[in-house]
Amino acid sequence: MSELTRIPAPAGVAPAAQYSHVVLGRGSFVAIAGQVPLDEDGKLVGEGDAAAQARQVFENLSRCLTAAGATFDDVVKLTYFVTDMAHMPALRAARAEHIPDDRLPAASAVQVAALVRPEFLMEVEAFAVVGE
C-alpha cells in the first residue's frame, strides 16, 4: 500500500463534503476502467435499482483493485458517470461500505445522457497509487 496524503480543503478552496480536493502519493499508478453493474457472468444486477447497481459497481471496482494489488485505501480518484444525479446517494452509500470518510479520494460526478447500455444507471472509474 502506498502512503497517500489527502487535502480536503486547500487554502482558498471551499471544503469538500463528499471527497478530497487533492490526493497525492508515491508509487505505481493504477487505472481502473469504468465499472458497470454486471456480475461475473455478464448479467445485469439491479435493473432499475440504483442501490443494487451501485453495490455491484463497487464490488467490481474492489475485484479490479485486488487484481492490481491495490485496495480502496490506495484510490486517489473516482469518477462517477450517472444517467440521473438522483443516483448519487446510492453511490455514496455503496462507497461508504468500502471507503471511510477520513480516506475519501478526489472525485468527479458527471450526469450523462446515456451509458453503453440503456439499462445501466451508472459507471464508475478509479485511479489508484500502489506502493513503491
Side-chain angles (χ1 to χ4, degrees):
M1 179 169 44
S2 65
E3 184 69 31
L4 300 179
T5 301
R6 290 167 175 81
I7 305 171
V13 177
Q18 295 291 326
Y19 58 92
S20 296
H21 278 290
V22 179
V23 181
L24 58 116
R26 227 178 147 81
S28 296
F29 182 74
V30 177
I32 306 294
Q35 296 300 300
V36 294
L38 296 176
D39 68 14
E40 62 191 78
D41 296 320
K43 294 182 178 143
L44 176 68
V45 172
E47 185 165 355
D49 181 343
Q53 288 197 16
R55 286 189 302 273
Q56 184 63 46
V57 164
F58 270 86
E59 179 60 31
N60 292 347
L61 286 168
S62 179
R63 290 175 180 173
C64 290
L65 288 164
T66 298
T71 70
F72 279 103
D73 282 344
D74 301 309
V75 172
V76 296
K77 175 79 166 39
L78 292 172
T79 305
Y80 305 96
F81 300 97
V82 294
T83 57
D84 187 329
M85 281 296 174
H87 303 318
M88 288 305 299
L91 278 164
R92 287 187 193 108
R95 182 200 63 209
E97 294 175 17
H98 297 276
I99 304 172
D101 285 347
D102 66 339
R103 307 221 19 106
L104 293 174
S108 299
V110 181
Q111 183 170 326
V112 296
L115 292 165
V116 69
R117 287 180 32 188
E119 63 270 29
F120 295 163
L121 303 177
M122 61 198 61
E123 181 173 331
V124 180
E125 67 181 17
F127 299 104
V129 175
V130 292
E132 295 184 54

